[in-house]
Amino acid sequence: DAPVALITGPCQLESLDHARMMAEKIAEACAPTGTRFVFKASYDKANRSSLGTARGLGMEAGLEILGRIREEFGVPVLTDVHEPGHCAPAAEICDVLQIPAFLCRQTDLLLAAGETGAAINVKKGQFLAPWDMANVAAKIASTGNDRILLCERGTSFGYNALVSDFRGLPIMERTGHPIVFDATHSVQQPGGQGATSGGQREFAPVLARAAVAVGVSALFIETHQDPDTAPSDGPNMIPVDRMAGLIAELRAFDDLRKGRG
Amino acid sequence: DAPVALITGPCQLESLDHARMMAEKIAEACAPTGTRFVFKASYDKANRSSLGTARGLGMEAGLEILGRIREEFGVPVLTDVHEPGHCAPAAEICDVLQIPAFLCRQTDLLLAAGETGAAINVKKGQFLAPWDMANVAAKIASTGNDRILLCERGTSFGYNALVSDFRGLPIMERTGHPIVFDATHSVQQPGGQGATSGGQREFAPVLARAAVAVGVSALFIETHQDPDTAPSDGPNMIPVDRMAGLIAELRAFDDLRKGRG
Amino acid sequence: DAPVALITGPCQLESLDHARMMAEKIAEACAPTGTRFVFKASYDKANRSSLGTARGLGMEAGLEILGRIREEFGVPVLTDVHEPGHCAPAAEICDVLQIPAFLCRQTDLLLAAGETGAAINVKKGQFLAPWDMANVAAKIASTGNDRILLCERGTSFGYNALVSDFRGLPIMERTGHPIVFDATHSVQQPGGQGATSGGQREFAPVLARAAVAVGVSALFIETHQDPDTAPSDGPNMIPVDRMAGLIAELRAFDDLRKGRG
Amino acid sequence: DAPVALITGPCQLESLDHARMMAEKIAEACAPTGTRFVFKASYDKANRSSLGTARGLGMEAGLEILGRIREEFGVPVLTDVHEPGHCAPAAEICDVLQIPAFLCRQTDLLLAAGETGAAINVKKGQFLAPWDMANVAAKIASTGNDRILLCERGTSFGYNALVSDFRGLPIMERTGHPIVFDATHSVQQPGGQGATSGGQREFAPVLARAAVAVGVSALFIETHQDPDTAPSDGPNMIPVDRMAGLIAELRAFDDLRKGRG
C-alpha cells in the first residue's frame, strides 16, 4: 500500500498570490515525510448556508489559478463541480474533479464528471449509508472511468451535527475504490452558527488519527494561514503552520497500519 | 385559514394518457370536499439510487404533457427542477417549481427558480434542521419572489431511515411562508432496498393526520393507480382509489384545526 | 374506543397541600369534557442529571400523600418505581406503577412490577425502537399481568435531543396494549442545560395534537401552577391554568379520530 | 502514560471451569506484550432484550467463581452491578464494579457503588452526550471515591443501531478520569435480531484501532472460545484465539500514540 496521500489547500480560492503562498507552505509541510499531495481549492461555493457570504472567484479565474499552481508546483490539482456543464472545462485543468456531498446522487453530474476521464473524488452525502456509495460509484463507472475515490465527510446526527462512523471506511472499501477521509468537514457543525456553519477544529487531528489507524488511501484536510479570517470554513480548517507536525504524526500511524518502517 | 390543499399526482410522468387518467381520478377524489389540488409529476428522476432504474420522459415531452393537463383540467401543475437552466422553460408551463431536498442548498438553482416568478416549493433537505430553512427561503426571496412554500419530507435518522419531526412545522412557519407536509416521501426508506428506496405506505395516512392536526397549508401525497408497478416510489405511494377516503378524513381534521364548522 | 384519558400531575411531589391544590385544579380542568385522569407524581427523582438537584420526599411520605389524593379525589394514582423492592409497597397505594424509560429493559423491575397486579405504564427507552417494546411487554405479561400500557416519550436524536416518531404509536399498538403519548417529556432536551434538562414547553400541545390525531388511549402531560419554579422538569411542564383549554382542544381531535360526536 | 490495559473476558459466566479456561487463554494472549488485564464476566444479565434468554449463574455463585479467578490468576476482576444492594457484596470480591450503560443515571446505584471504594467503570448511556458524563462522574466522586473510569460503548443512531463518536473520548477525558473504549459492545446492533441483539464482530478490531490511535487508557473487549455458541453477545465477541494477534496490533498503535518504543 502506498503511504497516505493528502488532498489539501484552502477551502476557497482567494487570489493567485494566496494560492501560491498556500501551495508553498503545504509543499514545505509535506517534504520531510515525502508525502504526496493534491492541491485543493474551490472557485465557487455554490451551496453556502446563506446568501450573504462569499462565493468565490468564479470558474474562469479560478481554473486559471489552479492551472498556474499545477504548473509551478508540479502537483495535481482538484476542484469541485456543481453542474454537468462545468465538468469538461474543469477537467481541462484539474486532475481530480470532486462531487460535493449534497450532489452525490445527481446522476447527470456523476456521468458528466466520469466522462471527462479525470479522477473523481465523490463525497458521501450526509444522508447516505456507506453501503449506498456502491450505487454512486457504479454510476460513474458506467462511463468507463474507474478512477474513483470515495470520501467520508460525516453523517447527519440530529440537527446541526455530524458524526464520523469509522465502520464506513472498510464498508466503502469493499467497492474496490480508494477511500479518503475528510478530517476537516467531518468536524463541521452544519448551520451551527446561524448564517454559516460552525466547526470543531480541535477534533480534526483526532479523527484523522483514527482514520489512518483504520486505514485509508488519502486524507482530505483544509488549511489556511489564518483560519479565523478565511472566507469560508474557518472554524474547521487547520492552521497551515501546524500541518508539518500533523502530517508527520499521521504518517507514523499510516506507516504502522500499512506495515512499513 | 384556507382549507388544506393537495399537491398530488404520480411520482413520475408515464404518458399523456396516464397523466390524464390520474388527473381525472384525483379530481374525482377531491370533488366531494371541494379540495383544491396542484397536479404534480416529474419528467426526470435525476437522483435515483442507482443507474439501472427509469428516469422519465425528459423535459420537453414532460412539460408538454403537464401543459395539457393544466389546460384540460384547469388545475395548476408542479414539476421539480434540477439545474438552473431548466427553471425558465419549466416555469413557462408550470405554476409551481419544486426544489428537490438534496438540492435545497444550491444557490444558483434557488435563484434561477426564484427569478421565474413562479411559486417555489422547496423541500427541506434530509440533512437540515427546520430553522436552517430560513436561509434557504431568504435566497429565493432575494430575487423579489416571495411565493415560497417550505416542505417537510423527513430528516435523516441513522442509516436508510427518516423521521418526521412535527416540531419542524411550526418552526418553519415562523418564516411566514406556507408549510407543506410531504406524507409519502416522509415514509421512504432511502436506499433501503439496495438499488431503490423502500417505503412504508401504511404510515403515510398516519403522518398526514398528524400534520393537519399540527397545522399545515398543504399536503404533498404521491398516488398511482397501481403503486406496486409504478416506475418509481411505488413502496410509498397511495393507491388512487383510496384517495377520496383519505382526503375526506384529512379535511375533517383540518377543518377542526382551522376552526371551521 | 373510550375517550382519551390523561395521566397528569406535577413532575415531583412537593407537599400534601401542593398535591391537593394540583389535583383540584386538574379535576376542574377535566370536568367540562368529562375527561378521566390518573394523578401522577414522583416521590423520588432517582435519575436526575446531576446530584445537586432536588430528589423528592422519599417513598414513605410520598406514598402517604398519593394515598390521600386517591381517597379525597376518588382518582387513580400513579408513581414511578426504580427498584424491584419498591414495587410491592408502591402498589399497595397506587393503581398504576410506572417504569422509567431508562429502566425499561431491567428484567427484575419489570417482573416485580408485573407481579403486584397493578396496571403498569412502561415508558419506551430513548434507545429503543418501537418494535422492541413487544419484548418489554412480554416480560411483564409473563407474570400473568396483562394490564400494560406502552408509553412513547421520545427517541434519542443526536446529542441532548429527542424526536417523536409517530409511526411508533401504531407499531406499538400491534402488541394489543393501550398506547400513551407523553407530550411533556417528548419535548425535553436531555442534559441540555448543563446540570439539568431543558425543554420546549411550547411544542407539547403541538405534539399532543399530533398524537390524538394518530390515535392514542391516553396522554401523559405534566403540569404545575408555576413551572419555572418547579423543582424538576419546569422547562417542559404545562402551566395548570392552561390545562382546561388544552384538554378541550385535544378531546375534540380525539372525538373526531374515534368517530364520536 | 501507561500502556493500554484490557478489560476482557466472556460476556457471561458459564462455570468455574469455563472461567478458568478463558482466563488462561487471555493470560497467554496478553503475555507476549506484557499487557495487563482485568478479568470481566457477568453473573447476571439483568437487561436482556427478551425473557426467553439465559440470565446467568446468579450473584453468589458468580462472585465465588470471580474470587477463584482472582486468586488463581492474580488478576483484578470486574463485574457489573444492577441494584444498590448488590454493590457491597460484589465489592468484597471484585476490584472493579461496572455500571451498565442503561443505569448510568441511577443516582442510588452510582452512590452505592462509589461508597464501596472499589474502582468504578461507568459505561456511557447510549442516550447521553459525552459531556453529560461529567455529572455522572461527579455523583460517584461525591462519595469520596475518585477511582472512576468512563467507558464509551456507542451512541443511539436511528433504531437498532449504534455509532461510535471518537470525539467523545477526548471530551470525556476532560473530566480527568481514565477513558475506556468498549470495542465489542460498540458494534452491537441492539434488538437487531428480534429477541436478542445482533452484532458486527468484524468491526470491533477496526474501532479498537481507532480508539488507541485517538488515545485511551483501556480497551474493553469481550471474548469467547466459540462466540457463536455463547449464551449472550455472541455476534459481537472476539474469538479468544484471535486475541493475541489483536492485542499485539493494538499495543503497537498505543505505543506510537503514547510515544514509547
Side-chain angles (χ1 to χ4, degrees), chain C residues 188-202:
Chain C
Q188 256 188 346
Q189 297 174 307
Q193 300 188 330
T196 59
S197 289
Q200 300 176 300
R201 190 186 301 156
E202 70 272 28

Side-chain angles (χ1 to χ4, degrees), chain A residues 9 43 77 81 117 153 161 214 256:
Chain A
Y43 53 75
V77 297
V81 287
R153 54 88 77 235
V214 169
L256 177 59

